[in-house]
Amino acid sequence: MEIRKPIPVADAVMHIMNHVKKLGAETIVLEQSIGRVLAEPIVARHSVPPFNRSPYDGFAIRAEDSKGASGDNRLEFTVIGEIGAGYVGERPVEKKEAYRIMTGAQIPTGADAVVMFEQTVETESGFTVRKPFETGENISFKGEDAAEGDVLIVEGTLIHAGTIALLATFGYAEVSVYQQPVVGVLSTGTELLEVTDELVPGKIRNSNGPMVKAQLTRAGVPFKEYGTTKDDLDACTKLVERALEETDALITTGGVSVGDYDYLPTIYERLGATVLFNKVAMRPGSVTTVAVLGDKFLFGLSGNPSACFTGFELFARPALLAMMGNRAPYLPHLKAYLAEDFTKPNPFTRFVRAVWKLTENGLAAAPAGFNKSNAVSSIARGNCLIVLPSGTRGYSAGDEVDLLLIGSEQGAKDWVL
Ligand SMILES: Nc1nc2c(c(=O)[nH]1)N[C@H]1C(S)=C(S)[C@@H](COP(=O)(O)OP(=O)(O)OC[C@H]3O[C@@H](n4cnc5c(N)ncnc54)[C@H](O)[C@@H]3O)O[C@H]1N2
Ligand code: MOO
Ligand SMILES: [Mg+2]
C-alpha cells in the first residue's frame, strides 16, 4: 500500500493558489451584482454630497447675522421661504433673512449655517436664536464623503450591500465584475441515500452534497449538481470526465483515502490529472486531495463530514474566490482565548469546530461539541475554527489561540497560519 507524505497546510494552500487562473470580466446590471467581485475600481464620478446640504430640519442663515446673540439678547430672523429636500432656494439669503430648510436640501446662496428647529423660538415673521452660529455650522459639505475622482473601492473587492449603495450613488446601472467559475458537486459512496429516503441498514443520508452546495452558495459561487454515485470505478470515472467537461472545477466528496472502494486516486490517474497533494498535516481532512487538469481543479474532499467541511473552507473556497478575482479569498483570522481546556495532543494541525463569543475578557472560543472527523453536529453548532498547530498539546482555558471565522462575507488577503 502506498504511504502518503503529509504536507503542511500552508504549503497545500499555496500549491492550490499558485494554480489559480483568474477568470475574465463581464458587465452585469447593478441589481444582480451582490456577491460578485469588482473587475473595475469604483471611482467617484462626482462629489458626495454633490452640493452643500442641510443635515437637519431647521433654518438656513448667514452666520454673521447671529453674532452677539445670547439668552438676554435673542436675535430675530425673517423667513423668506421654504426648501424641502429636492428643491433649491429661489433667491439668495440677505441680511437677517433665513430659509426654512429640511434635511438633505441644498443650502441656498448666501447662507452658511443651519439652525435646528430646537434651537429657535418662533415669532410672527420668523424666529429668534439665543446663540451665535459659526460659518459652516451644521452644514454637510459638498465632497465631504467622497471627492470627485477619488478611487473609493479597489478592483478585486467583493460587492456587498454597502458597495451596491456606493455604485448606485454614482449611477453605475451596470458594473464590470469577474466571471464566476461553474463548480460541479458530486458525492461518492455506495452507502449514500437521498435526503428524502428512509434509513435502511448500512446506509446513511448524503449530507456532504447539500452542505458543500450551501458552502458554495454562501461563497457566491454557482454550482452544477451531479448528485450521488455508487463506488463503481467505471461509472464514477465517466461521471467525473463529463463533469470536468462542463465545469471549471469539480468537488467530489468521499473515496479519497486508501480503502478498497476509494476510487478517486485511480480516477485522477486515469484522467492524467496532476495531483498537487493527497495528504495534509491537518485533522480533520488529512486525506484531502487536490488535482489539476489544465486550468481545471479537482477537489477531492474527504467523505467524513467535518473533514469535508474543513477541506472546503480551507482549500476550495479561496481557490474559487481567487478565480472570481477576489483579492481577499481567505477566511478572516482572529485571536481568541480558549473558553475551556483542550488536552488532546495535536500531532497534525487541528481545526476544531467552535463557537466564538465576546466576553468581558475579550473574544472567547469554545469547541462546538463532538469534534471527530466524522462529526456532523459540531459543524452545525460552530461558527469558527480554532487552529491548534501541529506538535502542540495540553491547551488550558485562557490560552490564546488562532481563530478562523466561518461564514463571514469579508475575507482576508493573506493566509497567515
Ligand atoms: N487505513 C486508513 N484508513 C483511513 C485513513 C487512513 O489514513 N488510513 N484515513 C481516515 C480518514 S482521516 C478519513 S477522513 C477517512 C476519509 O475517507 P474518504 O475520504 O475516503 O471517504 P469515504 O471512505 O468515502 O467515507 C468516509 C466516511 O464518510 C462518510 N460519508 C461519505 N460520503 C458522505 C456524504 N456524502 N455524506 C455523509 N457522510 C458521508 C462515509 O459513510 C464514511 O463513514 O478515511 C479514514 N480511513
Ligand atoms: O482526513 Mo481525516 O478527516 O483527518 O480525519
Ligand atoms: Mg474511504
Side-chain angles (χ1 to χ4, degrees):
M1 196 199 77
E2 145 209 27
I3 303 292
R4 298 183 183 180
K5 190 178 160 354
I7 64 167
V9 181
D11 292 5
V13 171
M14 284 316 125
H15 280 316
I16 294 173
M17 298 310 267
N18 287 341
H19 268 89
V20 168
K21 289 245 162 52
K22 202 158 76 173
L23 298 168
E26 61 180 331
T27 299
I28 59 170
V29 297
L30 179 63
E31 278 71 21
Q32 280 164 17
S33 68
I34 182 88
R36 302 295 292 272
V37 177
L38 286 167
E40 60 177 331
I42 305 181
V43 180
R45 292 175 171 173
H46 54 70
S47 300
V48 183
F51 46 81
N52 288 351
R53 66 187 176 193
S54 177
Y56 296 122
D57 302 315
F59 299 99
I61 62 165
R62 300 177 348 148
E64 63 183 279
D65 297 339
S66 65
K67 221 178 183 171
S70 69
D72 298 332
N73 181 34
R74 300 195 70 104
L75 297 182
E76 187 166 13
F77 289 81
T78 307
V79 174
I80 57 169
E82 195 223 26
I83 314 172
Y87 292 92
V88 291
E90 278 164 14
R91 69 166 178 84
V93 175
E94 309 273 358
K95 196 168 187 314
K96 293 278 177 188
E97 289 182 345
Y99 260 109
R100 208 175 156 84
I101 192 164
M102 300 305 128
T103 303
Q106 182 170 334
I107 303 291
T109 314
D112 59 2
V114 168
V115 183
M116 292 163 75
F117 284 148
E118 295 88 329
Q119 297 172 307
T120 66
V121 172
E122 272 189 65
T123 62
E124 224 155 78
S125 60
F127 60 92
T128 61
V129 297
R130 52 164 292 173
K131 78 166 204 80
F133 287 79
E134 281 169 28
T135 296
E137 195 166 334
N138 294 340
I139 301 237
S140 171
F141 286 102
K142 173 177 177 176
E144 69 179 8
D145 193 351
E148 185 172 349
D150 279 358
V151 175
L152 300 171
I153 306 287
V154 294
E155 161 277 334
T157 306
L158 177 86
I159 297 175
H160 56 59
T163 332
I164 300 256
L166 192 62
L167 288 163
T169 297
F170 294 120
Y172 282 80
E174 294 186 325
V175 58
S176 173
V177 296
Y178 286 106
Q179 287 165 16
Q180 296 165 298
V182 178
V183 181
V185 180
L186 170 65
S187 306
T188 74
T190 304
E191 74 277 32
L192 299 181
L193 298 171
E194 296 301 319
V195 176
T196 46
D197 289 339
E198 285 300 321
L199 284 184
V200 292
K203 308 262 184 189
I204 58 166
R205 293 190 189 95
N206 172 16
S207 64
N208 288 341
M211 174 181 73
V212 166
K213 287 182 279 176
Q215 287 175 293
L216 285 164
T217 300
R218 179 161 70 180
V221 180
F223 58 82
K224 206 164 152 45
E225 168 74 82
Y226 290 93
T228 58
T229 170
K230 290 196 166 49
D231 295 315
D232 175 294
L233 181 56
D234 289 333
C236 198
T237 308
K238 276 205 191 94
L239 207 48
V240 170
E241 265 176 339
R242 175 161 74 82
L244 270 186
E245 277 165 22
E246 298 169 347
T247 60
D248 299 295
L250 175 65
I251 297 179
T252 57
T253 71
V256 281
S257 188
V258 293
D260 293 347
Y261 305 99
D262 289 338
Y263 288 135
L264 266 301
T266 314
I267 294 172
Y268 298 144
E269 210 177 295
R270 282 189 174 184
L271 295 175
T274 306
V275 174
L276 300 183
F277 54 84
N278 61 10
K279 186 96 178 168
V280 189
M282 64 189 272
R283 182 129 292 173
S286 63
V287 299
T288 309
T289 301
V290 177
V292 287
L293 189 62
D295 289 345
K296 303 199 177 195
F297 273 99
L298 292 131
F299 294 101
L301 303 184
S302 165
N304 272 326
S306 282
C308 182
F309 177 85
T310 309
F312 177 89
E313 295 293 334
L314 297 187
F315 303 124
R317 182 179 176 279
L320 299 171
L321 292 183
M323 284 166 93
M324 283 169 70
N326 194 324
R327 288 176 188 243
Y330 300 109
L331 297 174
H333 169 243
L334 296 171
K335 295 275 188 187
Y337 72 88
L338 265 182
E340 56 189 68
D341 293 350
F342 194 94
T343 51
K344 269 197 268 185
N346 309 301
F348 281 175
T349 300
R350 195 186 290 281
F351 294 87
V352 186
R353 276 73 63 214
V355 180
W356 66 261
K357 199 164 92 178
L358 196 59
T359 71
E360 54 192 16
N361 300 322
L363 197 59
F370 182 70
N371 225 288
K372 286 196 179 149
S373 169
N374 54 14
V376 68
S377 57
S378 55
I379 36 179
R381 286 189 209 108
N383 57 16
C384 63
L385 298 170
I386 294 171
V387 190
L388 305 176
S390 65
T392 57
R393 67 185 304 146
Y395 281 89
S396 306
D399 285 352
E400 191 181 62
V401 289
D402 291 300
L403 207 70
L404 293 174
L405 292 186
I406 300 291
S408 164
E409 157 181 273
Q410 293 298 299
K413 284 198 168 76
D414 301 299
W415 173 265
V416 287
L417 297 169

